[in-house]
Amino acid sequence: RQLHSLLYAGSEEWTDYAIDLDVCGMRGVDKGMVVRVEGESGIGLDLRGPGYQDAVMHRREWPMGRARVTNANGVWHHVRVEARGHRYRVWVDDALVLDRTDGRSSRPKGRIALAAYTGGVGECLVYYDNVVVTELPPTAGDIPSSRADGERQD
């Protein structure tokens, strides 16, 4: 099994938000982020590099979506993930690549985590930059999630 590292930030009370970041993997296979993290579990997005070239969204071990994304080592990519209600949307380099709804409505709130996975090479080096989390206001047609009182600090 591959080794992974997660860097957690934010509040488990965060509800509807977007995370924007730039990511560059130098060694290893996967890099990504997790949104709506409660405890150590959330909705994950993995950008898989050489041998895969895709973006995979999952809730624990259950897949929620997959899209082809060119993701070579040594190349910077801008990634945006929106978690609004029970809908999750993912952009890579300004292209919408995934738009999914969590039918189980299992993650109404939670913090973020940045991820790095070793894959088969046994070591990993990933750079993250310009990480920004912003609150998303509700829009018409959203499936509401429970909202926490209080103001989010990013």
Side-chain angles (χ1 to χ4, degrees):
R1 184 174 177 159
Q2 68 180 350
L3 299 176
H4 64 274
S5 294
L6 294 168
L7 173 68
Y8 298 95
S11 167
E12 289 192 1
E13 297 306 311
W14 286 359
T15 55
D16 296 340
Y17 59 87
I19 176 172
D20 284 275
L21 57 79
D22 298 319
V23 61
C24 180
M26 301 303 291
R27 251 188 338 257
V29 178
D30 302 349
K31 53 226 142 256
M33 67 187 82
V34 188
V35 296
R36 301 249 175 99
V37 179
E38 292 183 278
E40 294 184 3
S41 181
I43 303 293
L45 173 71
D46 295 333
L47 293 177
R48 301 191 308 172
Y52 297 96
Q53 302 297 330
D54 62 6
V56 178
M57 183 184 296
H58 52 90
R59 183 183 64 249
R60 299 189 57 102
E61 63 272 7
W62 299 287
M64 291 178 65
R66 180 178 178 268
R68 176 132 176 87
V69 174
T70 302
N71 185 23
N73 282 336
V75 177
W76 282 94
H77 296 283
H78 181 78
V79 180
R80 177 181 176 90
V81 175
E82 288 185 359
R84 184 186 312 228
H86 303 298
R87 183 179 185 188
Y88 299 88
R89 297 192 304 169
V90 177
W91 288 261
V92 177
D93 297 326
D94 298 320
L96 179 64
V97 297
L98 290 167
D99 188 346
R100 299 290 188 268
T101 300
D102 178 7
R104 292 186 172 180
S105 306
S106 63
R107 294 282 167 209
K109 60 184 179 175
R111 59 191 174 160
I112 65 165
L114 304 181
Y117 306 94
T118 61
V121 299
E123 58 184 53
C124 183
L125 177 60
V126 177
Y127 294 108
Y128 288 94
D129 199 5
N130 303 314
V131 179
V132 178
V133 178
T134 53
E135 183 175 16
L136 295 174
T139 61
D142 282 342
I143 301 168
S145 62
S146 61
R147 299 200 58 92
D149 290 330
E151 198 167 300
R152 177 173 304 140
Q153 294 181 353
D154 299 332

